[in-house]
Amino acid sequence: MTTVSTFLWFEDQAEEAADFYASAVKDSRVTGVTRNPDGSAFIVTLELAGHALSLLNGGPGHDFTDAASIQVVVDGQDEVDRLWDVLTEGGQPGPCGWLTDRYGLSWQVVPSELPDLLSGANPAKSAAAATTLRTMSKIDMKQLQDAYDQA
């Protein structure tokens, strides 16, 4: 059987990060911890809403960049707001729904309604929504819908 998962290298915070991610993303859980002889976590596995991740405590020198991110598509503005607030605490907001969490990992928090606005039947309306999106940090669906409707 072939499986695919995302593997992330942490300096020494893999278990803490896994617990944080599992609590932040609905329908998520830590599925296992492989420990070093001293009891510290070596590899932590978890599922984020069905997506498998492995987090390694591999030591320093392998920082995350925004060239890779975890995208979470959620239903509704309330869930965008909740997840954004949780993940940016101790981290940094970025552009267009991107953020960096307290561990340096990049995320995209995307409302499930967004693709419909950006690929709608009317190209001018979709362009207006896309232009508005580029001015945002956290995605605000009301602003995007207003831009779409007014174009």
Side-chain angles (χ1 to χ4, degrees), residues 71-80 108-119 139 141 144:
Q71 182 184 61
V72 182
V73 179
V74 299
D75 290 327
Q77 189 66 48
D78 288 346
E79 186 59 11
V80 168
Q108 300 173 57
V109 180
V110 180
S112 60
E113 306 88 352
L114 183 61
D116 290 339
L117 289 182
L118 298 181
S119 62
I139 294 175
M141 280 305 299
L144 292 171

Side-chain angles (χ1 to χ4, degrees), residues 45-109:
T45 55
L46 70 149
E47 288 182 6
L48 290 180
H51 179 81
L53 289 133
S54 296
L55 283 59
L56 164 76
N57 279 328
H62 296 278
D63 296 335
F64 296 119
T65 75
D66 59 358
S69 64
I70 295 177
Q71 182 184 61
V72 182
V73 179
V74 299
D75 290 327
Q77 189 66 48
D78 288 346
E79 186 59 11
V80 168
D81 295 345
R82 184 197 70 79
L83 191 55
W84 183 271
D85 291 345
V86 168
L87 292 174
T88 57
E89 186 176 328
Q92 295 289 329
C96 302
W98 291 58
L99 63 91
T100 303
D101 71 21
R102 65 182 76 169
Y103 304 102
L105 184 61
S106 292
W107 294 75
Q108 300 173 57
V109 180

